[in-house]
């Protein structure tokens, strides 16, 4: 994407917490609340309760899901899986011979499904044809707060657009994880998601050409940008950048202060591209789009919007440290995408400086994006884009998977593993050989001294033992906690709003509040509001439930939000988190008393983390 900047939309602090010496039970990330054997027995108890719940096959949720699955899988509903033959991408060769970029072309609705796949000679890419994704008109229109009809500018979304139809479909899907899968399926259609993840994700650039200019209609527009400039406190540098790339030189021309329409459009008229950072803070539709997809990726989903004037280029060639999905919204833009130049830039850990044209080889993909098209490329793929032919361009770049690698995970695990190993195993506390400096170090790297061989072997043995002490689950919990803090707040469906605290009929009427006093009982059936909105984390002697429902649409505007869970309610909390989307009777929660059951369920419901099977009265 054109110089994606994520300082306000995607940067995430790494886990660099210094571990203080503690007793054996006290890894700083561990749960020292119960002995290990007891915790194991309790987990078995929770697992058995979950199995019993599944065996009941609750009719309301299961039957609704079954109807939904049969509808989605119906051949009459033109999803890509049953109508498109996608040729396999070439096997990935050693670096430098990664195989062709993959392109898909979705044909207009009037084109026959029997149209055979065609070959595109340009860039040696694979091409196939498929029917354009289209959904039946929605029977239930989403409500404004939960499934937005308009964005923050007040613009109405076109009800006949493919985007609005899929958003209406999502509003009828009860499971948040299935909503995320469905929206991603729509995003990359007609390509099957399993093919994308198995063969192309983190490997290849992919172009989906749809020949449907209405596909993203209603997501964001130039008119929306103008409305944001007029009605919101948009600041240059913080929310909006003005940049241009002329004669091999990139310039950022941000004046100080608020980005008023007069200043922004004057810069655009002078040939500057306008980059709106964090559009989800201003657009309800973009917020909904990203909030659903972040559950698909298990990683923060951010975005920027780029408006480029005709016959201009805003940013120099560069690569980024995120997986990028480019959604062409308006106009046309010529894109050139290049493979990583050297092995160390493959799946890059940081974004690159600006490159000159002399730094680049031939592009692996060169194409003009039109409205409805999708372009994907992995971290480390160099890219540049320019407008030609007197036509402007507006695109949105969806970004994810920043600092979400095995290396980032191990960077947090290994220091804690070493600390634990030193505390628990005397071999890690034994002193180094008194003479090790006589044969170790760079100046002795060619030495054949047997003491050097023995030293290296000792290091290998100790490193191999570290896995036994690695607090893998605890670090996973901490990364999940970070993800909870990074996440956008959830967007609710009509059903989730009606059955949660957000839908209670309490209101002010005739000079007093009415419909007060709705309460949960032991017979009330509940489950979490959505999957992935909360995470149970042990920190020292405390058990904390971090959640997303009070997050801001502006990245890290708020501190992490959490509730402290009583240790006696820990297993009930685990059951609720793991049983979604199945309902659990409050009276079946594994607590020591009815009071504990009701206090936990009421606390979660009042915080907006639970919904009930039937509305409370």
């Amino acid at each position: 994407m054109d110089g994606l900047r994520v300082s306000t939309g995607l940067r995430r602090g790494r886990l660099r917490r210094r571990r203080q010496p503690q007793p054996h039970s006290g890894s700083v990330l561990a749960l020292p609340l119960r002995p290990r054997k007891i915790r194991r027995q309790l987990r078995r108890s929770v697992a058995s309760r979950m199995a019993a719940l599944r065996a009941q096959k609750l009719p309301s949720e299961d039957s609704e899901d079954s109807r939904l699955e049969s509808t989605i899988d119906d051949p009459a509903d033109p999803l890509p899986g049953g109508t498109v033959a996608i040729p396999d991408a070439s096997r990935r060769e050693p670096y430098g011979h990664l195989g062709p970029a993959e392109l898909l072309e979705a044909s207009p609705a009037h084109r026959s499904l029997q149209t055979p796949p065609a070959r595109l000679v340009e860039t040696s890419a694979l091409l196939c044809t498929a029917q354009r994704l289209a959904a039946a008109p929605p029977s239930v229109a989403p409500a404004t707060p939960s499934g937005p009809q308009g964005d923050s500018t007040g613009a109405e979304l076109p009800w006949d657009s493919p985007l609005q139809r899929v958003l209406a479909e999502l509003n009828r899907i009860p499971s948040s994880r299935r909503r995320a899968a469905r929206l991603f399926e729509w995003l990359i259609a007609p390509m099957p998601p399993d093919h994308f993840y198995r063969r192309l994700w983190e490997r290849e650039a992919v172009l989906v050409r749809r020949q449907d200019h209405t596909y993203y209609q209603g997501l964001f527009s130039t008119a929306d940008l103008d409305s944001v400039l007029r009605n919101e406190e948009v600041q240059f540098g913080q929310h909006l950048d003005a940049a241009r790339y002329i004669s091999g030189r990139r310039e950022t021309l941000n004046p100080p202060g608020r980005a008023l329409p007069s200043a922004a459009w004057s810069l655009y008229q002078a040939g500057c591209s306008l980059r709106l950072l964090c559009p989800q803070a201003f657009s309800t539709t973009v917020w909904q789009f990203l909030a659903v997809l972040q559950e698909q990726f298990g990683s923060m989903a951010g975005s920027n919007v780029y408006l480029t004037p005709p016959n201009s280029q805003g940013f120099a060639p560069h690569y980024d440290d995120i997986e990028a999905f480019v959604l062409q919204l308006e106009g046309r833009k010529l894109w050139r995408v290049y493979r990583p130049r050297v092995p160390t830039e493959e799946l890059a850990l940081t974004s690159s400086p600006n490159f000159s044209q002399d730094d680049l080889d031939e592009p692996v993909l060169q194409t003009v994006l039109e409205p409805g098209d999708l372009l994907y490329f992995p971290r480390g793929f160099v890219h540049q884009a320019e407008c030609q032919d007197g036509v402007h361009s507006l695109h949105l770049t969806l970004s994810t998977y920043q600092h979400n690698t095995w290396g980032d995970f191990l960077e947090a695990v290994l220091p804690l593993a070493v600390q634990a190993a030193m505390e628990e195993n005397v071999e890690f506390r034994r002193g180094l050989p008194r003479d090790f400096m006589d044969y170790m170090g760079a100046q002795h790297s060619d030495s054949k001294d047997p003491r050097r061989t023995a030293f290296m072997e000792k290091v290998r043995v100790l490193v191999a033992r570290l896995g036994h002490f690695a607090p893998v689950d605890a670090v996973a919990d901490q990364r999940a906690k970070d993800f909870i803090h990074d996440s956008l707040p959830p967007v609710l469906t009509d059903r989730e709003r009606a059955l949660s605290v957000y839908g209670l009929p309490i209101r002010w009427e005739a000079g007093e509040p009415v419909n007060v006093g709705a309460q949960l009982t032991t017979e009330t059936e509940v489950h979490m509001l959505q999957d992935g909105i909360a995470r149970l984390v042990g920190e020292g002697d405390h058990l904390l439930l971090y959640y997303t429902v009070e997050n801001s649409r502006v990245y890290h505007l708020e501190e992490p939000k959490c509730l402290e869970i009583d240790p006696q309610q820990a297993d009930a909390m685990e059951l609720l988190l793991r049983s979604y989307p199945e309902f659990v009777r409050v009276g079946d929660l594994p607590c020591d008393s009815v009071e504990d059951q009701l206090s936990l369920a009421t606390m979660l419901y009042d915080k907006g983390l639970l919904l009930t099977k039937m509305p409370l009265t």
Side-chain angles (χ1 to χ4, degrees):
M1 76 249 97
D2 293 2
L4 176 68
R5 195 176 84 182
V6 288
S7 60
T8 62
L10 201 57
R11 293 292 176 192
R12 174 171 60 193
R14 295 179 181 174
L15 182 65
R16 294 187 181 277
R17 187 170 298 177
R18 185 178 297 277
R19 183 178 187 275
Q20 301 298 329
Q22 297 183 16
H24 170 74
S25 64
S27 166
V28 72
L29 301 180
L31 296 176
L33 298 172
R34 310 181 194 84
R36 186 177 303 168
K37 186 178 298 183
I38 297 177
R39 290 204 305 271
R40 201 177 299 132
Q41 293 171 348
L42 290 171
R43 287 196 185 96
R44 290 197 203 104
S45 174
V46 170
S48 64
R49 290 173 184 270
M50 289 179 62
L53 283 168
R54 293 193 178 96
Q56 294 174 9
K57 295 183 178 178
L58 300 171
S60 64
E61 192 71 13
D62 288 351
S63 60
E64 190 170 3
D65 288 358
S66 298
R67 288 195 302 271
L68 214 50
E69 289 170 356
S70 64
T71 300
I72 290 175
D73 293 336
D74 191 332
D77 190 17
L79 286 177
T83 60
V84 186
I86 307 291
D88 287 340
S90 300
R91 289 186 177 273
R92 191 179 185 198
E93 302 295 334
Y95 185 84
H97 303 279
L98 299 181
E102 180 150 329
L103 294 91
L104 299 178
E105 184 168 6
S107 65
H110 64 267
R111 187 175 296 181
S112 169
L113 291 179
Q114 306 303 318
T115 305
R119 288 282 176 178
L120 182 66
V121 177
E122 180 185 6
T123 71
S124 301
L126 299 173
L127 177 73
C128 73
T129 53
Q131 184 181 32
R132 175 172 60 87
L133 181 67
S139 58
V140 180
T144 301
S146 53
Q149 300 177 27
D151 59 19
S152 60
T153 66
E156 291 291 322
L157 300 188
W159 281 105
D160 60 345
S161 75
L163 172 66
Q164 190 56 34
R165 290 198 294 271
V166 78
L167 292 181
E169 180 186 339
L170 299 183
N171 189 56
R172 302 191 298 270
I173 299 177
S175 168
S176 64
R177 69 182 68 161
R178 289 178 51 212
R179 291 198 293 271
R182 176 67 183 102
L183 185 56
F184 183 73
E185 179 183 51
W186 177 88
L187 176 65
I188 66 169
M191 179 182 298
D194 59 345
H195 173 80
F196 173 78
Y197 282 125
R198 186 177 67 253
R199 306 301 296 271
L200 306 170
W201 172 255
E202 295 189 324
R203 291 179 172 86
E204 297 293 342
V206 180
L207 170 64
V208 178
R209 194 179 298 287
R210 294 197 172 93
Q211 301 180 23
D212 182 357
H213 289 194
T214 69
Y215 200 76
Y216 304 124
Q217 191 174 5
L219 182 58
F220 200 84
S221 67
T222 307
D224 293 335
L225 176 58
D226 182 68
S227 180
V228 168
L229 294 173
R230 294 180 182 280
N231 300 311
E232 305 287 349
E233 290 291 331
V234 178
Q235 299 290 320
F236 278 112
Q238 181 181 356
H239 306 116
L240 189 75
D241 285 329
R244 61 187 180 188
Y245 179 70
I246 300 176
S247 302
R249 182 168 174 265
R250 151 84 185 274
E251 295 179 309
T252 300
L253 304 176
N254 289 340
R258 181 176 171 182
L260 292 168
S262 58
W265 293 125
S266 295
L267 288 165
Y268 175 84
Q269 200 72 20
C272 287
S273 289
L274 301 182
R275 173 174 58 184
L276 180 65
L277 307 171
C278 197
Q280 59 270 26
F282 305 105
S283 167
T284 303
T285 312
V286 176
W287 164 39
Q288 179 178 14
F289 196 73
L290 298 179
V292 173
L293 285 174
Q294 69 189 3
E295 190 171 330
Q296 166 74 188
F297 298 122
S299 179
M300 179 184 169
S303 67
N304 291 335
V305 168
Y306 300 83
L307 176 64
T308 303
N311 306 307
S312 70
Q313 181 170 340
F315 299 90
H318 68 283
Y319 61 75
D320 295 297
D321 58 350
I322 48 86
E323 301 298 300
F325 296 83
V326 177
L327 287 64
Q328 187 69 23
L329 306 179
E330 295 177 6
R332 296 193 299 273
K333 204 167 198 179
L334 172 64
W335 281 81
R336 297 182 181 92
V337 181
Y338 310 79
R339 295 200 183 282
R341 303 174 308 153
V342 293
T344 54
E345 293 178 356
E346 186 177 7
L347 297 180
L349 298 173
T350 59
S351 295
S352 73
N354 295 330
F355 297 127
S356 69
Q357 302 299 330
D358 295 336
D359 296 325
L360 308 176
D361 293 327
E362 289 298 312
V364 66
L365 188 151
Q366 179 170 314
T367 189
V368 175
L369 291 187
E370 298 193 359
D373 291 347
L374 174 74
L375 175 63
Y376 161 80
F377 46 84
R379 314 187 294 279
F381 272 56
V382 179
H383 51 278
Q384 60 178 323
E386 62 179 298
C387 282
Q388 299 178 326
D389 303 328
V391 179
H392 80 284
S393 168
L394 181 75
H395 77 264
L396 179 144
T397 296
L398 187 160
S399 53
T400 191
Y401 253 62
Q402 186 182 53
H403 301 162
N404 199 37
T405 68
W406 283 105
D408 292 301
F409 191 88
L410 292 175
E411 191 175 46
V413 166
L414 292 179
L416 297 172
V418 171
Q419 290 283 352
M422 292 179 69
E423 292 173 6
E424 300 180 24
N425 189 317
V426 68
E427 290 302 314
F428 288 85
R429 301 197 298 271
R430 297 196 187 281
L432 292 165
R434 289 177 290 105
D435 59 350
F436 83 97
M437 286 181 283
D438 294 341
Y439 48 85
M440 297 306 299
Q443 70 186 54
H444 301 294
S445 58
D446 295 330
S447 172
K448 303 299 183 183
D449 192 315
R451 295 174 297 173
R452 179 179 176 86
T453 303
F455 190 97
M456 296 296 290
E457 180 60 26
K458 181 68 172 180
V459 169
R460 280 191 287 270
V461 169
L462 293 178
V463 169
R465 291 182 183 176
L466 282 178
H468 176 72
F469 302 98
V472 174
D473 285 331
V475 171
D477 282 338
Q478 288 297 316
R479 289 190 67 86
K481 169 189 167 182
D482 290 342
F483 173 51
I484 290 291
H485 189 206
D486 293 345
S487 294
L488 289 164
V491 176
L492 306 186
T493 65
D494 291 344
R495 171 180 174 272
E496 290 166 345
R497 178 169 295 277
L499 298 177
S500 67
V501 69
Y502 307 105
L504 285 179
I506 300 173
R507 65 187 184 279
W508 182 266
E509 186 176 284
E512 62 179 355
V514 297
N515 293 329
V516 178
Q519 293 183 342
L520 280 73
T521 71
T522 55
E523 296 302 315
T524 307
E525 295 182 60
V526 297
H527 68 55
M528 297 299 292
L529 182 70
Q530 291 182 6
D531 193 31
I533 63 165
R535 185 75 179 203
L536 194 61
V537 179
E539 296 184 354
D541 293 328
H542 301 279
L543 194 59
L544 303 177
L545 183 74
Y546 288 91
Y547 56 85
T548 67
V549 294
E550 295 176 5
N551 284 5
S552 169
R553 285 155 64 176
V554 177
Y555 178 70
H556 284 193
L557 183 64
E558 304 286 344
E559 292 297 314
K561 300 295 193 300
C562 65
L563 297 169
E564 184 161 4
I565 303 299
D566 188 283
Q568 303 304 319
Q569 298 171 324
D571 297 294
M573 191 68 248
E574 289 180 5
L575 176 61
L576 287 169
L577 290 170
R578 295 166 60 184
S579 61
Y580 179 89
E582 297 170 359
F583 284 100
V584 180
R585 255 181 88 255
V586 172
D588 290 334
L589 294 175
C591 297
D592 293 338
S593 67
V594 171
E595 291 180 355
D596 285 345
Q597 292 172 333
L598 289 173
S599 66
L600 175 64
T602 301
M603 177 178 67
L604 297 175
Y605 182 85
D606 288 346
K607 188 56 70 173
L609 297 174
L610 282 187
L611 61 77
T612 58
K613 190 172 184 179
M614 301 296 294
L616 292 185
T617 58

